[in-house]
Amino acid sequence: MKFRRTLLGLALVATAMGFATGAMAQAAYKPEYKMSLVLGPPTPWGQAGKIWADLVKERTQGRINIKLYPGVSLIQGDQTREFSALRQGVIDMAVGSTINWSPQVKQLNLFSMPFLMPDYAAIDALTQGEVGKELFSVIDKAGVLPLAWGENGYREITNSKRPIKSPEDLKGMKIRVVGSPLFADLFTALGANPTQMSWADAQPALASGAVDGQENPLFLFTVLKMQNVGQKFVTTWGYVADPLIFVVNKEIWASWTPADQAIVKQAAIDAGKQEIAIARKGLVEADKPVLKDIAGMGVTVTQLSPAEREAFVKATRSVYAKWKPTIGNALVEKAEKAIAERK
């Protein structure tokens, strides 16, 4: 009888401890989690964060509340510091750019290799295949947990001077570029004068004429009405694309129950799929309505022929060759193979 009472007592203690652990886990949840974004709604990037946050709140019945911090405001607007801040716990979650994180994770420069990805099927072949899995493993080892892919889109070039149809048209042009050495090498090879600056600094520089042009996904052109800062010429050349990555700080991830971890991950995957469709809208249709909209703003839109594009490919091959070992020869070759075999 005494033995049974002891067993019963141990069972009650275990049950009580279980409740206590569950309560502690619940108590350990922060009232609010900080998500870093470079851009806010109404851009596809900003929508990626909002969709993810909304899905998580709904599916966890409010256990996990996420507040968006666009403009990388948690790190004083310096987007190249975002990955380090995630690792250190200054930021809890992010939907971040492969370009902005490439200074800390050199393999992410893969997506900035000039003219590697000729179409959207090529992007998908990388992010949704073995290359994407390998890059997620690299990010994980670098100290941040990746959950899903999104998309910032192909980066097209705009300027205030003239239509760009050949590398010669770029000669001497001051082009604002992101803070990545690869971009500086690329535009130098094309004869331009690359100028690295944050987007906050770029807009007044374009308006004043201190900088002639810039490169970005076309949604930014329409959202910001960039014809009003002198950008009268657009060339679609599809030279690089910028996938986005949904990530969580590892300590934050470990503080959630396995059930909530599964919810957050699935919400990221679902948000990523929705956001990719938003980012491509108006550009994948045969008549490309986004280009029509931009032309309607009084802007000259140039679409390169295959032969014209090839001239840019040849002019940047030295940059491709220089960066291939830095990114990893095997990884680049795996990417080239996946693109060649794409459907």
Short mmCIF file of all heavy atoms in Angstrom, two decimals, residues 48-60 66 93 147-149 246 260-275:
data_model
loop_
_atom_site.label_atom_id
_atom_site.label_comp_id
_atom_site.label_asym_id
_atom_site.label_seq_id
_atom_site.Cartn_x
_atom_site.Cartn_y
_atom_site.Cartn_z
N ALA A 48 5.36 40.44 -47.61
CA ALA A 48 5.86 39.14 -47.14
C ALA A 48 5.85 39.08 -45.62
O ALA A 48 5.38 38.11 -45.01
CB ALA A 48 7.28 38.90 -47.67
N GLY A 49 6.38 40.15 -45.00
CA GLY A 49 6.41 40.20 -43.54
C GLY A 49 5.02 40.26 -42.92
O GLY A 49 4.74 39.59 -41.93
N LYS A 50 4.15 41.06 -43.54
CA LYS A 50 2.79 41.22 -42.99
C LYS A 50 2.01 39.91 -43.08
O LYS A 50 1.34 39.52 -42.13
CB LYS A 50 2.05 42.34 -43.71
CG LYS A 50 0.69 42.63 -43.08
CD LYS A 50 -0.02 43.80 -43.70
CE LYS A 50 -1.29 44.17 -42.94
NZ LYS A 50 -2.15 43.06 -42.56
N ILE A 51 2.09 39.25 -44.24
CA ILE A 51 1.37 37.98 -44.41
C ILE A 51 1.86 36.96 -43.39
O ILE A 51 1.06 36.27 -42.74
CB ILE A 51 1.54 37.44 -45.85
CG1 ILE A 51 0.85 38.37 -46.86
CG2 ILE A 51 0.95 36.02 -45.98
CD1 ILE A 51 1.25 38.12 -48.32
N TRP A 52 3.18 36.87 -43.22
CA TRP A 52 3.76 35.91 -42.26
C TRP A 52 3.28 36.22 -40.85
O TRP A 52 2.81 35.34 -40.13
CB TRP A 52 5.28 35.97 -42.36
CG TRP A 52 6.00 34.90 -41.59
CD1 TRP A 52 5.49 33.71 -41.15
CD2 TRP A 52 7.38 34.91 -41.18
NE1 TRP A 52 6.47 32.99 -40.49
CE2 TRP A 52 7.63 33.71 -40.50
CE3 TRP A 52 8.42 35.84 -41.34
CZ2 TRP A 52 8.89 33.39 -39.97
CZ3 TRP A 52 9.66 35.52 -40.82
CH2 TRP A 52 9.90 34.32 -40.15
N ALA A 53 3.40 37.49 -40.44
CA ALA A 53 2.99 37.89 -39.09
C ALA A 53 1.51 37.61 -38.85
O ALA A 53 1.13 37.09 -37.78
CB ALA A 53 3.29 39.38 -38.88
N ASP A 54 0.68 37.92 -39.83
CA ASP A 54 -0.77 37.70 -39.69
C ASP A 54 -1.11 36.21 -39.57
O ASP A 54 -1.94 35.82 -38.74
CB ASP A 54 -1.53 38.30 -40.88
CG ASP A 54 -1.54 39.83 -40.86
OD1 ASP A 54 -1.16 40.41 -39.81
OD2 ASP A 54 -1.92 40.44 -41.88
N LEU A 55 -0.47 35.39 -40.41
CA LEU A 55 -0.72 33.94 -40.36
C LEU A 55 -0.30 33.35 -39.02
O LEU A 55 -1.00 32.52 -38.44
CB LEU A 55 0.03 33.22 -41.50
CG LEU A 55 -0.51 33.43 -42.92
CD1 LEU A 55 0.41 32.75 -43.93
CD2 LEU A 55 -1.93 32.89 -43.06
N VAL A 56 0.87 33.79 -38.52
CA VAL A 56 1.37 33.28 -37.24
C VAL A 56 0.42 33.66 -36.10
O VAL A 56 0.08 32.82 -35.26
CB VAL A 56 2.80 33.80 -36.96
CG1 VAL A 56 3.21 33.51 -35.51
CG2 VAL A 56 3.80 33.16 -37.92
N LYS A 57 0.00 34.91 -36.07
CA LYS A 57 -0.91 35.37 -35.00
C LYS A 57 -2.21 34.57 -35.02
O LYS A 57 -2.69 34.11 -33.98
CB LYS A 57 -1.19 36.86 -35.16
CG LYS A 57 -2.04 37.42 -34.01
CD LYS A 57 -2.13 38.94 -34.06
CE LYS A 57 -2.88 39.45 -32.84
NZ LYS A 57 -2.93 40.93 -32.82
N GLU A 58 -2.76 34.39 -36.21
CA GLU A 58 -4.02 33.67 -36.36
C GLU A 58 -3.87 32.20 -35.96
O GLU A 58 -4.69 31.67 -35.20
CB GLU A 58 -4.47 33.77 -37.83
CG GLU A 58 -5.75 33.02 -38.16
CD GLU A 58 -5.97 32.88 -39.66
OE1 GLU A 58 -5.53 33.77 -40.42
OE2 GLU A 58 -6.58 31.88 -40.06
N ARG A 59 -2.82 31.56 -36.44
CA ARG A 59 -2.67 30.12 -36.22
C ARG A 59 -2.19 29.75 -34.82
O ARG A 59 -2.35 28.62 -34.39
CB ARG A 59 -1.72 29.53 -37.28
CG ARG A 59 -2.30 29.61 -38.69
CD ARG A 59 -1.32 29.13 -39.73
NE ARG A 59 -1.84 29.32 -41.10
CZ ARG A 59 -1.17 29.00 -42.20
NH1 ARG A 59 0.06 28.48 -42.10
NH2 ARG A 59 -1.71 29.20 -43.39
N THR A 60 -1.57 30.72 -34.11
CA THR A 60 -1.16 30.45 -32.72
C THR A 60 -2.17 31.04 -31.73
O THR A 60 -1.91 31.08 -30.53
CB THR A 60 0.24 31.03 -32.41
OG1 THR A 60 0.21 32.46 -32.56
CG2 THR A 60 1.31 30.43 -33.29
N ILE A 66 3.79 39.44 -33.69
CA ILE A 66 4.97 39.95 -34.38
C ILE A 66 4.72 41.39 -34.82
O ILE A 66 3.70 41.70 -35.43
CB ILE A 66 5.29 39.08 -35.62
CG1 ILE A 66 5.56 37.63 -35.19
CG2 ILE A 66 6.49 39.63 -36.37
CD1 ILE A 66 5.48 36.63 -36.33
N MET A 93 13.23 38.15 -35.77
CA MET A 93 12.84 37.51 -37.03
C MET A 93 13.11 38.50 -38.16
O MET A 93 13.22 39.70 -37.92
CB MET A 93 11.35 37.17 -37.02
CG MET A 93 10.90 36.39 -35.80
SD MET A 93 9.09 36.34 -35.63
CE MET A 93 8.67 35.15 -36.90
N LEU A 147 13.73 29.42 -42.82
CA LEU A 147 12.49 28.65 -42.88
C LEU A 147 11.88 28.56 -44.28
O LEU A 147 11.27 27.55 -44.61
CB LEU A 147 11.44 29.26 -41.93
CG LEU A 147 11.82 29.35 -40.45
CD1 LEU A 147 10.70 30.01 -39.67
CD2 LEU A 147 12.14 27.97 -39.87
N ALA A 148 12.00 29.62 -45.07
CA ALA A 148 11.31 29.62 -46.37
C ALA A 148 11.92 30.69 -47.27
O ALA A 148 12.61 31.59 -46.82
CB ALA A 148 9.82 29.91 -46.17
N TRP A 149 11.61 30.55 -48.57
CA TRP A 149 12.08 31.50 -49.58
C TRP A 149 10.96 32.46 -49.99
O TRP A 149 9.80 32.06 -50.09
CB TRP A 149 12.55 30.77 -50.84
CG TRP A 149 13.80 29.97 -50.67
CD1 TRP A 149 13.90 28.63 -50.42
CD2 TRP A 149 15.15 30.45 -50.73
NE1 TRP A 149 15.22 28.25 -50.32
CE2 TRP A 149 16.01 29.34 -50.51
CE3 TRP A 149 15.71 31.72 -50.96
CZ2 TRP A 149 17.40 29.47 -50.52
CZ3 TRP A 149 17.10 31.83 -50.97
CH2 TRP A 149 17.93 30.72 -50.74
N PHE A 246 13.03 33.94 -45.18
CA PHE A 246 12.30 34.07 -43.91
C PHE A 246 13.13 33.37 -42.84
O PHE A 246 13.39 32.16 -42.96
CB PHE A 246 10.94 33.39 -44.01
CG PHE A 246 9.95 34.05 -44.95
CD1 PHE A 246 10.15 34.07 -46.32
CD2 PHE A 246 8.78 34.63 -44.44
CE1 PHE A 246 9.23 34.65 -47.19
CE2 PHE A 246 7.86 35.23 -45.31
CZ PHE A 246 8.08 35.23 -46.67
N ASP A 260 4.35 25.15 -31.89
CA ASP A 260 4.40 26.52 -32.41
C ASP A 260 5.52 26.70 -33.44
O ASP A 260 5.37 27.47 -34.39
CB ASP A 260 4.55 27.52 -31.26
CG ASP A 260 3.23 27.80 -30.55
OD1 ASP A 260 2.17 27.48 -31.12
OD2 ASP A 260 3.25 28.33 -29.41
N GLN A 261 6.61 25.99 -33.25
CA GLN A 261 7.68 26.02 -34.26
C GLN A 261 7.14 25.56 -35.61
O GLN A 261 7.40 26.18 -36.65
CB GLN A 261 8.85 25.13 -33.83
CG GLN A 261 9.66 25.67 -32.67
CD GLN A 261 10.70 24.67 -32.17
OE1 GLN A 261 10.71 23.50 -32.58
NE2 GLN A 261 11.58 25.12 -31.29
N ALA A 262 6.37 24.48 -35.59
CA ALA A 262 5.80 23.94 -36.83
C ALA A 262 4.84 24.95 -37.48
O ALA A 262 4.83 25.12 -38.70
CB ALA A 262 5.07 22.63 -36.55
N ILE A 263 4.07 25.63 -36.63
CA ILE A 263 3.12 26.64 -37.14
C ILE A 263 3.88 27.80 -37.80
O ILE A 263 3.53 28.24 -38.91
CB ILE A 263 2.22 27.17 -36.00
CG1 ILE A 263 1.21 26.10 -35.58
CG2 ILE A 263 1.49 28.45 -36.42
CD1 ILE A 263 0.44 26.43 -34.31
N VAL A 264 4.92 28.29 -37.13
CA VAL A 264 5.69 29.43 -37.65
C VAL A 264 6.36 29.06 -38.98
O VAL A 264 6.36 29.86 -39.93
CB VAL A 264 6.74 29.91 -36.62
CG1 VAL A 264 7.66 30.96 -37.22
CG2 VAL A 264 6.05 30.48 -35.37
N LYS A 265 6.90 27.85 -39.04
CA LYS A 265 7.58 27.42 -40.27
C LYS A 265 6.58 27.30 -41.43
O LYS A 265 6.84 27.79 -42.53
CB LYS A 265 8.29 26.08 -40.06
CG LYS A 265 9.03 25.61 -41.31
CD LYS A 265 9.91 24.41 -41.05
CE LYS A 265 10.67 24.05 -42.33
NZ LYS A 265 11.62 22.96 -42.13
N GLN A 266 5.45 26.65 -41.19
CA GLN A 266 4.47 26.48 -42.27
C GLN A 266 3.91 27.83 -42.70
O GLN A 266 3.67 28.06 -43.90
CB GLN A 266 3.33 25.56 -41.82
CG GLN A 266 2.37 25.17 -42.95
CD GLN A 266 3.08 24.49 -44.12
OE1 GLN A 266 3.82 23.53 -43.93
NE2 GLN A 266 2.88 24.99 -45.33
N ALA A 267 3.73 28.74 -41.75
CA ALA A 267 3.26 30.09 -42.09
C ALA A 267 4.27 30.82 -42.97
O ALA A 267 3.89 31.53 -43.90
CB ALA A 267 3.00 30.89 -40.81
N ALA A 268 5.56 30.61 -42.70
CA ALA A 268 6.61 31.22 -43.53
C ALA A 268 6.57 30.66 -44.95
O ALA A 268 6.65 31.41 -45.93
CB ALA A 268 7.98 30.98 -42.90
N ILE A 269 6.41 29.34 -45.06
CA ILE A 269 6.33 28.71 -46.39
C ILE A 269 5.13 29.23 -47.16
O ILE A 269 5.22 29.59 -48.34
CB ILE A 269 6.28 27.17 -46.24
CG1 ILE A 269 7.62 26.65 -45.70
CG2 ILE A 269 5.94 26.49 -47.57
CD1 ILE A 269 7.59 25.21 -45.20
N ASP A 270 3.98 29.30 -46.49
CA ASP A 270 2.75 29.79 -47.13
C ASP A 270 2.87 31.25 -47.53
O ASP A 270 2.47 31.65 -48.63
CB ASP A 270 1.55 29.60 -46.20
CG ASP A 270 1.24 28.13 -45.92
OD1 ASP A 270 1.74 27.26 -46.66
OD2 ASP A 270 0.49 27.85 -44.96
N ALA A 271 3.45 32.06 -46.63
CA ALA A 271 3.64 33.49 -46.93
C ALA A 271 4.61 33.67 -48.10
O ALA A 271 4.40 34.53 -48.96
CB ALA A 271 4.16 34.22 -45.69
N GLY A 272 5.65 32.85 -48.13
CA GLY A 272 6.64 32.93 -49.22
C GLY A 272 6.01 32.66 -50.57
O GLY A 272 6.27 33.38 -51.54
N LYS A 273 5.17 31.64 -50.64
CA LYS A 273 4.50 31.31 -51.91
C LYS A 273 3.60 32.46 -52.37
O LYS A 273 3.59 32.83 -53.54
CB LYS A 273 3.68 30.03 -51.76
CG LYS A 273 4.54 28.77 -51.70
CD LYS A 273 3.68 27.54 -51.47
CE LYS A 273 4.56 26.30 -51.38
NZ LYS A 273 3.80 25.12 -50.91
N GLN A 274 2.84 33.01 -51.41
CA GLN A 274 1.96 34.14 -51.75
C GLN A 274 2.76 35.35 -52.23
O GLN A 274 2.41 36.01 -53.20
CB GLN A 274 1.12 34.55 -50.53
CG GLN A 274 0.01 33.58 -50.16
CD GLN A 274 -0.82 34.12 -49.00
OE1 GLN A 274 -1.25 35.27 -49.01
NE2 GLN A 274 -1.03 33.30 -47.99
N GLU A 275 3.87 35.61 -51.52
CA GLU A 275 4.66 36.80 -51.82
C GLU A 275 5.37 36.68 -53.17
O GLU A 275 5.48 37.68 -53.92
CB GLU A 275 5.68 37.03 -50.70
CG GLU A 275 6.44 38.34 -50.82
CD GLU A 275 7.71 38.23 -51.65
OE1 GLU A 275 8.23 37.11 -51.82
OE2 GLU A 275 8.19 39.27 -52.12
#
